[in-house]
Amino acid sequence: MTPPRTAEPAVQVTDLSVDLGGRLVLRGADLQIRPGEVVAVLGTNGSGKSTLVRTIVGLLPAARGEVKVFGTPIRRFRQWNRIGYVPQRITAAGGVPATVAEVVASGLLSKRRLFRPLSSADRTAITEALEIVDMTAQRKDGVAELSGGQQQRVLIARALVSDPELLILDEPTAGVDLASQAVFADAIRQRVARGTTVVMVSHDLGPMDALIDRSIILRRGRIVYDGPPHASQTHAHVHPHGSVHDEPGWLS
Ligand SMILES: Nc1ncnc2c1ncn2[C@@H]1O[C@H](COP(=O)(O)OP(=O)(O)OP(=O)(O)O)[C@@H](O)[C@H]1O
Ligand SMILES: [Mg+2]
């Protein structure tokens, strides 16, 4: 076997349940993602997609079961520069007058080196990430003053800037115009070609669609489908209108 096949899974989720506000919003999830895979996480609003990815990156505790990233239980994981995460909604802006460049630079900070000055390599990485999302001209602007789609592009740049091995993206291109989505898909395609693992929540894959190796569908906190992307879409096509992304009858 080739080394990538024998390598530790990038993500290993075992019998994972997550309790939010006294309710199990994720129930008994099992999921293994190999290095280099590109996985779409689908499901209707409230089905548990964000809960799953937030738990994978260690933002939510497991009520039962376990998450391992690169073979290490997430509660002990410290190599944050190996993971890039785009949250569903901007939280970095909340009252803090951070500039575009500062938010992108925060993607280079591993937790223990918060006050390390930026190296010239860091500055180059920031410039390149800003170019990918076409936000170079706004680098000194406050993120709070940007449009929603522009803020989302800044979060994408922040996730890309450290060139992480694992990208976890929660609806990264929601509110981002089609031209920027295509540029983003291209940046992801280049990283996937170099072996980056991608887990992406989305209602509308758009230009990313062709990159997906595998789909997971969540329904009421359970994984109800895990397989080739075309099969999940074939199910959706049984319905005369809409797609898997907007058919609550199939998904809810
Ligand atoms: N902090 C919280 N406390 C209690 N319940 C929560 C909390 N956050 C989310 N939930 C509930 O957990 C369930 C799953 O939410 P989650 O955000 O994971 O869904 P989602 O699939 O990402 O939906 P969307 O497509 O709208 O982003 C929902 O029913 C939601 O109401
Ligand atoms: Mg969500």
Side-chain angles (χ1 to χ4, degrees):
M1 287 220 270
T2 54
R5 294 280 166 223
T6 55
E8 201 89 59
V11 176
Q12 173 99 52
V13 169
T14 312
D15 190 28
L16 178 68
S17 295
V18 176
D19 181 313
L20 289 178
R23 200 160 63 86
L24 282 182
V25 298
L26 204 61
R27 290 180 282 179
D30 287 299
L31 177 63
Q32 182 166 316
I33 298 173
R34 290 183 300 278
E37 269 194 302
V38 182
V39 178
V41 179
L42 311 172
T44 47
N45 296 139
S47 55
K49 304 179 301 293
S50 293
T51 302
L52 175 63
V53 296
R54 284 166 60 80
T55 309
I56 289 173
V57 298
L59 290 171
L60 293 174
R64 202 181 70 203
E66 185 175 51
V67 172
K68 283 185 181 175
V69 175
F70 301 121
T72 303
I74 193 66
R75 63 182 182 282
R76 294 210 311 266
F77 190 82
R78 295 293 176 268
Q79 300 166 298
W80 297 109
N81 58 332
R82 298 177 76 184
I83 305 179
Y85 168 59
V86 177
Q88 183 167 7
R89 283 170 208 88
I90 192 153
T91 50
V96 182
T99 66
V100 167
E102 284 166 352
V103 171
V104 175
S106 72
L108 289 171
L109 302 172
S110 62
K111 284 193 170 173
R112 288 178 186 277
R113 296 188 300 165
L114 280 174
F115 302 106
R116 181 180 59 105
L118 292 173
S119 68
S120 68
D122 289 343
R123 288 178 203 284
T124 305
I126 292 165
T127 300
E128 283 173 5
L130 285 169
E131 278 167 9
I132 287 168
V133 298
D134 195 19
M135 290 293 288
T136 309
Q138 291 91 347
R139 63 180 297 147
K140 296 214 164 80
D141 294 358
V143 282
E145 294 139 39
L146 302 176
S147 75
Q150 287 175 321
Q151 289 182 345
Q152 196 62 24
R153 290 201 241 158
V154 174
L155 291 184
I156 290 168
R158 183 178 68 173
L160 296 177
V161 71
S162 66
D163 201 9
E165 292 162 64
L166 172 61
L167 275 170
I168 306 227
L169 313 169
D170 195 347
E171 303 197 35
T173 54
V176 173
D177 63 57
L178 201 57
S180 303
Q181 284 186 40
V183 174
F184 171 63
D186 217 52
I188 297 294
R189 185 176 301 112
Q190 287 171 23
R191 283 164 169 75
V192 168
R194 298 203 307 260
T196 303
T197 309
V198 180
V199 180
M200 185 168 86
V201 177
S202 189
H203 286 281
D204 179 13
L205 293 165
M208 284 287 292
D209 190 56
L211 292 175
I212 304 298
D213 296 321
R214 178 177 158 201
S215 294
I216 307 289
I217 299 179
L218 280 163
R219 184 165 71 183
R220 295 187 189 132
R222 291 187 191 279
I223 295 175
V224 295
Y225 176 87
D226 180 349
H230 58 87
S232 62
Q233 281 149 23
T234 304
H235 269 297
H237 291 156
V238 171
H239 298 267
H241 305 294
S243 71
V244 70
H245 312 305
D246 56 14
E247 274 290 336
W250 151 243
L251 290 167
S252 63

